[in-house]
């Protein structure tokens, strides 16, 4: 259950173009900048949902002050951290815009028409489930930590191409596709939820596109981010193996990926987290695959 904190009581009853969902957990200054970036968007009808997942009272108060008086913005509190997948599911359920846009709370739209460009991109292709933005560092240049595609495609970062995933820092999803696919798998909590969503979309006949001409600026702050030397390797390994098994990959076919990840985790002095993640994936996949969806092997 979400508790209304500030701003409009909810989305307007009339049709509108897009819901924007920002998840918040402290980091108030960056989150306020993200909110202001959304409120400045022109050329599209929108409603912003800021979904707080357990910020300290003083930070929640700063977010409340930012949205107060804006009829197109709502701040709700979930009271605790449901993760990226769970938080976005809950935020998305609060609105009814035909396009759902996700923006990280340390990111901002590059221009005042970015949101309009995203809506038009979704409208232009009836079979399109999701659009991924180009993620730039706030000071300029591509954010390589947020490049979700093959490195050989980096020279094409300013172009558009069909893809099998998007980066959550800035993206758009058609609500009709969201409803058809069933949102994010909350078992993932953090990491790889976008890949799982896109694979389920593609298996159901939808497509995904990267748009390098639609840009989001990312602050890449160390605050509240999960370090590669810590918990992140647990989620990274656990979730990627779970997604692979869920979509029909055998343990044998996953062995090269496992070996590569273990080598990288060793470099980061985080082998224990990676091994924990692998063990947890082994325990969780049979029941979760059966409960969530039949295995679907993609071409």
């Amino acid at each position: 259950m979400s508790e209304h904190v500030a701003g409009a009581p909810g989305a307007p009853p009339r049709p509108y173009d897009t819901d924007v969902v920002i998840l918040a957990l402290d980091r108030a200054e960056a989150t306020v900048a993200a909110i202001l970036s959304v409120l400045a968007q022109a050329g599209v009808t929108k409603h912003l949902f800021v979904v707080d997942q357990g910020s300290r009272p003083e930070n929640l108060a700063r977010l409340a002050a930012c949205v107060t008086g804006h009829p197109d913005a709502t701040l709700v509190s979930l009271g605790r951290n449901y993760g990226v997948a769970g938080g976005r599911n809950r935020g998305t359920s609060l609105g009814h815009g035909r396009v759902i846009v996700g923006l990280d709370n340390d990111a901002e739209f590059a221009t005042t028409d970015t949101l309009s460009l995203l809506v038009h991109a979704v409208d232009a292709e009836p079979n399109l489930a999701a659009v991924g933005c180009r993620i730039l560092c706030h000071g300029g240049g591509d954010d390589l930590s947020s490049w979700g595609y093959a490195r050989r495609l980096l020279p094409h970062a300013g172009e558009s191409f069909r893809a099998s995933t998007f980066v959550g820092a800035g993206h758009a999803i058609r609500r009709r596709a969201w409803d058809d696919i069933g949102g994010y798998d909350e078992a993932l909590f953090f990491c790889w939820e976008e890949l799982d969503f896109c694979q389920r979309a593609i298996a159901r006949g939808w497509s995904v596109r990267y748009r390098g001409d639609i840009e989001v600026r990312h602050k890449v702050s160390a605050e509240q981010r999960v370090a590669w030397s810590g918990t992140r390797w647990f989620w990274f390994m656990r979730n990627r193996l779970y997604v692979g098994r869920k979509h029909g990959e055998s343990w044998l076919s996953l062995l090269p990926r496992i070996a590569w990840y273990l080598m990288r985790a060793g470099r980061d002095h985080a082998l224990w987290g990676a091994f924990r993640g692998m063990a947890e994936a082994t325990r969780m996949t049979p029941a979760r695959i059966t409960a969530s969806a039949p295995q679907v092997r993609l071409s």
Side-chain angles (χ1 to χ4, degrees):
M1 289 291 293
S2 61
E3 176 187 355
H4 177 263
V5 177
R14 66 181 183 278
Y16 58 98
D17 295 321
T18 179
D19 293 298
V20 183
V21 177
I22 296 176
L23 303 183
L25 180 55
D26 292 319
R27 196 160 50 178
E29 183 176 352
T31 307
V32 166
I35 292 170
L36 295 177
S37 169
V38 176
L39 295 177
Q41 294 298 297
V44 67
T45 53
K46 64 184 183 298
H47 197 90
L48 167 64
F49 290 99
V50 183
V51 181
D52 189 82
Q53 301 205 93
S55 293
R56 294 189 296 271
E58 63 271 22
N59 289 326
L60 188 61
R62 288 188 65 185
L63 303 184
C66 187
V67 304
T68 296
H70 292 281
D72 57 352
T74 300
L75 171 63
V76 299
S77 173
L78 300 182
R80 66 179 179 88
N81 189 359
Y82 285 85
V84 176
R88 284 185 175 151
N89 281 352
R90 285 159 178 78
T92 298
S93 71
L94 299 174
H96 58 91
R98 71 177 189 277
V99 177
I100 305 152
V101 172
L103 183 69
D104 273 5
N105 67 351
D106 58 355
E108 300 168 26
F109 292 127
T111 61
T112 57
D113 66 345
T114 304
L115 192 56
S116 176
L117 291 172
L118 280 170
V119 171
H120 290 153
V122 172
D123 287 345
E125 297 184 61
N127 205 44
L128 196 62
V131 174
C133 297
R134 184 179 188 178
I135 313 299
L136 303 174
C137 294
H138 201 263
D142 287 290
D143 175 12
L144 298 183
S145 69
S146 297
W147 180 250
Y149 311 99
R151 285 298 175 111
R152 61 182 171 78
L153 291 174
L154 263 175
H156 306 281
E159 302 171 17
S160 174
F161 50 79
R162 293 281 289 275
S164 59
T165 190
F166 58 81
V167 175
H171 66 277
I173 297 173
R174 187 187 304 275
R175 184 173 289 273
R176 188 161 55 85
W178 174 273
D179 292 339
D180 178 45
I181 297 154
Y184 291 116
D185 183 344
E186 295 190 17
L188 293 167
F189 190 79
F190 162 76
C191 205
W192 296 112
E193 68 278 356
E194 299 96 349
L195 176 65
D196 173 69
F197 178 88
C198 289
Q199 290 200 353
R200 286 186 286 134
I202 292 166
R204 292 184 65 82
W206 295 95
S207 63
V208 177
R209 180 169 293 280
Y210 168 81
R211 287 286 299 264
D213 58 326
I214 305 177
E215 299 174 347
V216 164
R217 300 194 180 278
H218 193 205
K219 290 192 172 74
V220 203
S221 170
E223 183 187 352
Q224 289 295 332
R225 293 180 72 85
V226 183
W228 279 108
S229 58
T231 309
R232 186 167 186 146
W233 264 110
F234 167 79
W235 294 113
F236 187 88
M237 179 70 90
R238 167 194 184 269
N239 289 0
R240 185 60 185 89
L241 299 183
Y242 164 62
V243 170
R245 293 286 292 140
K246 180 177 175 180
H247 293 280
E249 294 183 71
S250 67
W251 284 112
L252 182 62
S253 68
L254 286 168
L255 279 177
R257 183 180 298 276
I258 292 169
W260 172 241
Y261 288 168
L262 288 176
M263 185 175 70
R264 289 175 56 191
R267 180 198 61 193
D268 292 338
H269 307 289
L271 275 173
W272 175 240
F275 278 122
R276 283 181 55 240
M278 187 164 55
E280 179 66 17
T282 304
R283 286 194 294 269
M284 72 182 288
T285 46
R288 287 296 307 181
I289 290 171
T290 302
S292 61
Q295 291 189 8
V296 177
R297 186 180 300 278
L298 300 179
S299 67

